[in-house]
Each structure stands twice: as structure tokens, then as C-alpha cells.
Amino acid sequence: DTGALSAAENMTLEKVILEARSRDIIPDTLHFLQFSPHCALVGYHQAVELEVEKDYCQKHGIQINRRISGGGNLYMDEGQLGWEIFTIKDAPGIPARLEDFYRLMCESAIAGLKRLGVKASYRPANDIEVEGRKISGTGGTGKGNALLYHGTILTDFDVDTMIACLKLPLKKLENHQIKSFKERVTCLKEVLGYVPPINKIKDAMAEGFAEVFGINLEPAGLSEWEKNLLNQELPYFQSDEWIYGRRSQYQASDLVEADYKSSGGLIRVALRLDKTRQRIKAVFITGDIFAYPERSILDLEAVLKNHSSRETDIYATVTKFFNDHNIEVPGCRPEDFCYALVIAIEKAVQVL
């Protein structure tokens, strides 16, 4: 339990603990984390410019940072508890299929919520809900043989600030539609009528994980190895290079953008097209998806640079790329990425 830390410190710790587990320096670990000051986080595959109201965040002291895992944009304030599980792929009881792994992790969190008097259920692929209303979003990533799976528990939640600091489609909706959106999310305060003491919430969640995994949990702090790596890595996670990175190229005015909603999440494609030569000059793929390995999407972009824009060629290349590199994107097939690319190309042909 590292308590309340800055966004950069918490994001660094995710990499540090995952690295330590991949090297077998530490055992399987349950990590509780909180954020102070409040922050806006984007997924590894997202562009800050497309997901966060940067001016609003700077004006209101809301930090901006990037996760090492995929998924969508998030607002984290002091009224939320983060939990993370670090384990290895061949640990006893860990499913080989990512979808089954997701379900197991969510059921563990659900067991913890049950101890607080909350009757929650799993909503594929990676949400936890109470009577149809989301109380926890989850997701993960990996390094070598190590896995990180994390989620949040909404204890008390400032929905209005979340709407203001994140770029969400609902800002174009009518008031009654925004009200409907708010009703899709809930928190412990609303479900129970009060917010339990934070230590009680942590104890309940820990007991839930221990029960489902059939393990004993022992309180412990960071190892000296982790503390040293945290100090080394923190400046990078505080830098614009990490937070904004190459995704800042999204600002280019000649990009044509298209969205495709797959079962695993939103796939957003922006590309530059050489219409005459039928070539993709450059492509950027973002979205609230989770891809394993984490660099899969960036590597796919590289493969598609200066590639033929013909539909048959795209299908052949993308399918081969996924098969050759054992790419896994829960809820998504290679065809989903092909659909998204073809939609963007067709749009570019019409615009140019």
C-alpha cells in the first residue's frame, strides 16, 4: 500500500513492480494506490490531444499522465481506490486465455466488494457493475512472463469534473442524455449510503483476492531494488516525452480520421494517404483497447507506413502481422483493425 502519490509516481510504480516481478525479484503482489492531486490518465495507445482537455486540466491543477497499459481516458481523484495484481503467466490457477484471465481478476475484486455489502457482477470484457451501473473499470498489460492487471473502485466520484477534463462524445449531447450517462456510473457512497473508511475497503478487497486465488497475503513495502528503480525512472514518467510522445503528431492538419467500434473497444485510425499512388504515407492507430505485447500497435503502424492502400493488401498484411507476432487484443480480431483502416482510407479518398 503506497498511499496517495502523484500520477507520475503511480505510473512509474506500475512499470517498476512489473519489472521486479518479471525478474522474480518479488513474489506475486497486490498493490493499492491512490492519487493526489487529481489527474487525467490516457491509455498507452491514446493521444493526449484527442482525449484530454489540456487547458482545463492546467487551470484546475489536474495532472496529466499516461498508463503503461491500454484502455481509455480516466479521471482519478482522491475519492477512488486503485488496485493492481502482479503475477506470472504460469502461476497456478492463472488462465491462459486473456478473456478468462480478465474474468478471474474481476471476480476477485467482486469478492472484495461483497465483503463491503455490495452485490456486484462481471460485465465482459473488463467492467464490474452494480445493477447495470459501472463501479469499476479494469485492464492490464505484461512484460515477459509477468502480468499486470489493475482496476479502480469508485468510492465517491466527481462526475462533473470528469466530464469537464476529458474529451468525451457526450459533451455534444443534450442535458437529459448527459444525465443518462451519469446514471450509468455508481460508487460506494451511492450504493451503501456512505463511504466506508479507506482501510476497511482495502482490507475487504485484499480478503476477496486472497479467497478467490486461494492464497495468503502478507503486508510489505517496496524492496530496495524497486525504490532505486523508481528514482531512476520517475523523471521519464514526468516528462513530455512520455506523457505526449510521438502521438503529438496527431495535430497534423492533413490527417483524415475515422472510428470503428469493435467488441473490444474503440479503434481510431488517422492516416495520410497518397491517393495517386494508392499508398498509406503514415498511419496512427489509437483507442481504448488493450494490446499484448504493449508495442503491438506501434509496430503495426510501422508495418503499414508506405504500404498499399488496397483493401486486399491491407487484409493480407494485418492478418499476417497478428499471426506472426502472436498479437492478442481482447475482444478484437485482426479484421477489426482492417475495417477501421478501410473506413479511414475510404474517407480519405473522398476528402482528398
Side-chain angles (χ1 to χ4, degrees), residues 95-105:
R97 284 183 75 245
L98 277 175
E99 289 83 354
D100 296 335
F101 177 66
Y102 277 25
R103 177 182 289 275
L104 176 65
M105 292 294 170

Side-chain angles (χ1 to χ4, degrees), residues 28 61 115 138 180 230:
D28 289 348
R115 284 167 166 73
T138 71
S180 175
L230 171 61

